[in-house]
Amino acid sequence: MTQFTYHSYPERAVAVGSSDAVVHQKYDSEGDIHYINATTPLDDYPDFLFDKLYDYAKKYPDRVLIAQRELNVATNERGDWVKLTYSDVLKKARSIAQALLEYDLSEERPLMILSENSIEVFLLMCGAMLANVPYALVVPAYSLVAKKPDKLQYVIEKLTPALFYAGDGKGFLRQLKACGQMDKPIITSTGNIDGEPCLNLNDLLATEATDAVEQTHKQMSADSIAKFLFTSGSTGNPKVVPTTHRMLCSNQQMLKQGLCLIEEDPLVLIDWLSWHHTFGGSHNLGIALYNGGTFYIDDGRPVAGKFDETIRNLKEISPSKYFNVPVGWSMLANALEEDEALRDNFFKKVDLYFFGGASLSAELWQQLGDISYQHCGERIRIMSGIGMTETSPSCTFTTGLSNDTASFVGVPAAGVEIKLVPMKDKIELRIKGPHVMPGYWRHDTATSKAADSFDDEGFYCSGDGVLPYNPNDLSEGLVYDGRIAEDFKLTTGTFVNVGELRNRMVLQGMDLIEDVVLTGEGKSEIGAFVFVKEKVARKLTELHDTELKQVLEHDRLQAWFSHFMSTINDGYEASSKIIARIYLMETPPNVVEGEKTDKGTLNQRKLRNNRVKETDKLYEDKADKLRFLAK
């Protein structure tokens, strides 16, 4: 471990809520069913998320709410920070709301936002909420990257939007034309879309707001839809989740109590996670607004070529809490070890690390703790939980608990009731609370499995498997056990626990393995598609400018995986636990096809279904055990 200069910082240990939980038991024909409730009640929360904007604009008018580096269009580089205060945002949002009232928008005719995170998108979201206009955030890849408009056409048909926002307008015209949407009004920040005139956001911002904006609030209730989000679509097309104000506000109150957040000690967040997903758009962005914090938009990403922007931002902005997915934490940990200026600025205020989207390995957990201890004399608390789009998003937190077990997800948040139900060879997590959606939007429950989304007691069936951390005491919390739908059977009839095996491979092969997709459904052996860490693989092979295929075929890389496969199954005998063969993947996961989310997590079933040729090649020689392929 790199030795750092010790810095004496003020005590930063984050206060956390109670870890107490009440466990009930019920017995039926299926076996034991357990219920777990948080003993801490959920405090009162507002009916509408925008109530917080009005409140803080009055109490803290000059406090910065949102900031982003200004983009130089000529150089495509970002310069100084553009900052908007709470009073700035409220004024601009009211103008946008007033303008939106002219378009007869509603739940049946929402606003559809097609572009990435930006100040403009944030103002539109705030304005839409003030005008009682539900909005839908759609992954830009559907309209900018996809060769065919299938995904965009699907979400348009599902939501029937009456108004679009398309960023600066560049690249959006082709897909919108293909979807037959050019008769609808389109807003851009430039007033044109690929050279054709359209509505200019500046005109909306110049609209004089009246009390007609506030009059619309009388028509609203806490169960009015604030926004629509899309699920990952693990078994087909993504489903639409209507997210109400009650869902957002109750979940933010759960977070406020779980993390002991107070507006007098304002949060400073800097975050890259996409607002098209619930972690970035509901959880992180919501935390800043609900608690009077400041949110800096990070235009970097934890991928090659874009992470430098994240490092640049973290050298200027000192977050008080930091949220990320494991791949982002891994890249940041390595950067912190190498960059003294980054360490000095990052550790000035931060008192909490939070991760989501996947498990944090024990090695990475230790690495993060060692860095913070050696630099500032204490191990900064690491927390997580379990959440999903349908629950806006949080259900459990590792609140009040100190546990670095991989996949530990803690106990129910305040106001949440959990039900544990045996399913196949797993235990399914089911959830009830004010943060849970009423049902999928425009879903044909007569012909869809969505009809089974809620059980007869009104619990949402998550499809996630969990295990008790202590089988004798459920109040000690839960451990994530993978998606039930991702599991499959071998021809022997035994189930394969995908989550367990994936974690084993990623943890043991973390030096070179980025991620893994397990295969073997309808086969007698388990195989794996392995996505390597390309930058590390090129460094190992000293092939920096060749095609990835040549890197994967190189003797040094093949030797590394030969050794890996000779050790990965030590101590295991059952066919459902042994990884018999692997395939080193040349083609990365496709976001447009739903193989990978913006958060970086892989859709196991979707990727297995899409890679038929690779599967055939992986299993073409049944006599060759422990094989690895790259050719």
Side-chain angles (χ1 to χ4, degrees):
M1 175 62 66
T2 305
Q3 294 299 311
F4 307 140
T5 302
Y6 176 81
H7 292 261
S8 179
Y9 287 119
E11 179 62 36
R12 70 187 68 225
V14 63
V16 292
S18 170
S19 63
D20 295 337
V22 178
V23 181
H24 307 283
Q25 296 187 55
K26 176 182 177 181
Y27 300 92
D28 65 9
S29 58
E30 291 185 274
D32 293 353
I33 294 179
H34 300 275
Y35 298 80
I36 312 175
N37 300 76
T39 55
T40 305
L42 185 64
D43 293 341
D44 292 339
Y45 51 87
D47 286 338
F48 309 110
L49 190 58
F50 59 68
D51 286 346
K52 291 292 187 178
L53 179 57
Y54 280 97
D55 184 28
Y56 294 138
K58 184 177 180 179
K59 293 168 67 175
Y60 312 112
D62 298 324
R63 183 182 290 180
V64 174
L65 168 53
I66 191 84
Q68 185 178 26
R69 289 188 185 277
E70 185 174 21
L71 179 64
N72 185 319
V73 179
T75 63
N76 199 35
E77 295 180 350
R78 293 196 174 270
D80 295 334
W81 293 99
V82 176
K83 302 177 181 180
L84 297 183
T85 66
Y86 275 85
S87 61
D88 292 334
V89 171
L90 179 57
K91 180 180 178 180
K92 293 176 183 295
R94 291 187 74 246
S95 292
I96 290 174
Q98 182 73 44
L100 292 179
L101 293 178
E102 303 298 320
Y103 291 94
D104 190 28
L105 302 172
S106 66
E107 294 177 356
E108 306 294 331
R109 294 165 45 84
L111 164 67
M112 183 168 283
I113 298 171
L114 304 177
S115 53
E116 294 282 6
N117 302 0
S118 68
I119 286 179
E120 292 80 9
V121 167
F122 180 71
L123 292 174
L124 270 170
M125 293 191 299
C126 291
M129 284 198 295
L130 293 182
N132 192 18
V133 172
Y135 59 88
L137 292 152
V138 178
V139 178
Y142 288 2
S143 21
L144 292 175
V145 180
K147 295 181 179 179
K148 297 181 179 180
D150 299 357
K151 288 284 188 181
L152 183 60
Q153 184 71 54
Y154 170 80
V155 299
I156 287 173
E157 289 176 355
K158 209 69 178 168
L159 286 172
T160 58
L163 180 67
F164 292 91
Y165 177 72
D168 62 6
K170 294 180 180 178
F172 289 97
L173 183 63
R174 177 178 61 88
Q175 296 286 39
L176 285 173
K177 273 187 174 180
C179 294
Q181 298 301 302
M182 295 308 294
D183 60 326
K184 308 280 179 31
I186 299 169
I187 307 167
T188 69
S189 63
T190 58
N192 70 79
I193 177 167
D194 289 333
E196 296 192 13
C198 63
L199 297 174
N200 195 315
L201 180 62
N202 288 330
D203 292 335
L204 276 69
L205 290 167
T207 303
E208 185 175 349
T210 71
D211 62 1
V213 173
E214 283 69 35
Q215 291 298 316
T216 64
H217 303 170
K218 297 178 181 179
Q219 305 166 22
M220 300 171 64
S221 75
D223 294 314
S224 295
I225 297 172
K227 64 178 176 178
F228 296 101
L229 289 173
F230 292 89
T231 65
S232 60
S234 58
T235 57
N237 282 319
K239 295 185 284 290
V240 184
V241 177
T243 305
T244 67
H245 287 274
R246 186 190 307 278
M247 291 167 63
L248 291 172
C249 292
S250 63
N251 203 242
Q252 283 301 323
Q253 185 60 36
M254 294 171 193
L255 282 160
K256 183 182 183 73
Q257 291 178 225
L259 303 180
C260 292
L261 304 173
I262 55 174
E263 64 190 67
E264 292 78 14
D265 182 20
L267 287 161
V268 176
L269 302 183
I270 179 163
D271 188 63
W272 67 270
L273 286 157
S274 173
W275 297 343
H276 309 92
H277 295 285
T278 189
F279 188 12
S282 296
H283 188 282
N284 296 357
L285 189 60
I287 284 177
L289 177 56
Y290 194 85
N291 296 281
T294 298
F295 190 98
Y296 288 85
I297 299 172
D298 175 15
D299 290 292
R301 292 288 186 277
V303 296
K306 293 188 176 182
F307 195 62
D308 287 346
E309 180 67 11
T310 293
I311 299 304
R312 174 195 180 196
N313 292 333
L314 288 174
K315 284 184 175 181
E316 288 190 24
I317 307 301
S318 300
S320 56
K321 290 173 174 53
Y322 196 68
F323 301 86
N324 215 326
V325 293
V327 64
W329 277 115
S330 178
M331 294 180 73
L332 178 60
N334 293 334
L336 285 168
E337 286 189 333
E338 298 171 359
D339 194 325
E340 182 179 359
L342 174 64
R343 291 195 300 271
D344 286 346
N345 200 64
F346 183 76
F347 287 116
K348 282 182 180 178
K349 297 179 181 178
V350 68
D351 61 14
L352 175 69
Y353 300 158
F354 194 100
F355 68 93
S359 299
L360 200 68
S361 69
E363 290 84 355
L364 180 52
W365 195 299
Q366 183 69 36
Q367 183 184 13
L368 287 167
D370 288 346
I371 294 168
S372 62
Y373 183 78
Q374 293 191 41
H375 186 68
C376 52
E378 57 185 306
R379 293 181 182 275
I380 293 171
R381 185 179 181 87
I382 302 175
M383 289 181 63
S384 188
I386 193 167
M388 55 211 73
T389 308
E390 292 87 345
T391 61
S392 59
S394 301
C395 299
T396 71
F397 297 128
T398 53
T399 302
L401 302 162
S402 181
N403 194 311
D404 60 359
T405 301
S407 302
F408 184 68
V409 293
V411 296
V416 177
E417 184 177 9
I418 279 176
K419 181 179 180 180
L420 304 180
V421 180
M423 291 283 291
K424 298 179 181 178
D425 65 338
K426 289 197 175 189
I427 299 171
E428 184 181 31
L429 176 75
R430 299 184 180 180
I431 306 107
K432 183 186 287 187
H435 64 314
V436 179
M437 68 168 187
Y440 293 111
W441 183 253
R442 293 177 175 171
H443 220 86
D444 184 2
T445 55
T447 60
S448 170
K449 290 183 179 180
D452 302 323
S453 297
F454 294 86
D455 66 16
D456 56 2
E457 291 187 299
F459 283 83
Y460 170 66
C461 305
S462 70
D464 286 311
V466 293
L467 291 169
Y469 173 69
N470 180 353
N472 299 315
D473 188 356
L474 289 175
S475 68
E476 291 190 19
L478 303 170
V479 176
Y480 186 65
D481 194 33
R483 292 286 295 170
I484 293 172
E486 290 180 344
D487 292 354
F488 55 83
K489 277 186 179 181
L490 298 173
T491 53
T492 59
T494 57
F495 272 102
V496 174
N497 187 325
V498 169
E500 175 190 337
L501 293 186
R502 177 201 166 275
N503 282 345
R504 191 207 309 171
M505 290 192 72
V506 171
L507 294 181
Q508 290 191 33
M510 64 182 300
D511 289 343
L512 263 173
I513 294 177
E514 185 74 57
D515 215 332
V516 169
V517 171
L518 274 297
T519 66
E521 189 165 17
K523 308 287 185 182
S524 61
E525 297 176 336
I526 298 170
F529 296 148
V530 172
F531 296 92
V532 303
K533 294 180 177 178
E534 184 175 344
K535 185 176 180 180
V536 179
R538 290 187 179 279
K539 184 176 181 180
L540 174 67
T541 60
E542 298 181 353
L543 297 176
H544 300 290
D545 300 314
T546 61
E547 294 182 355
L548 179 59
K549 183 182 180 187
Q550 292 177 274
V551 176
L552 301 179
E553 293 173 347
H554 194 278
D555 289 346
R556 289 179 192 166
L557 196 77
Q558 295 278 313
W560 190 95
F561 276 100
S562 179
H563 176 72
F564 174 76
M565 290 299 287
S566 70
T567 60
I568 187 65
N569 296 314
D570 285 351
Y572 298 95
E573 297 181 358
S575 61
S576 62
K577 302 290 185 181
I578 293 176
I579 298 149
R581 51 189 73 202
I582 64 174
Y583 191 103
L584 304 183
M585 302 294 282
E586 181 182 354
T587 307
N590 191 314
V591 174
V592 176
E593 295 299 322
E595 294 179 347
K596 186 176 183 179
T597 71
D598 285 357
K599 295 182 293 183
T601 55
L602 298 187
N603 185 323
Q604 293 273 332
R605 186 166 293 277
K606 176 89 69 173
L607 214 149
R608 285 202 300 264
N609 293 341
N610 287 358
R611 305 300 179 101
V612 177
K613 291 182 180 179
E614 289 90 340
T615 302
D616 290 343
K617 193 166 186 178
L618 181 59
Y619 286 94
E620 66 186 7
D621 182 3
K622 295 182 179 180
D624 185 6
K625 302 290 184 180
L626 300 179
R627 72 181 305 178
F628 49 99
L629 306 171
K631 302 178 181 179

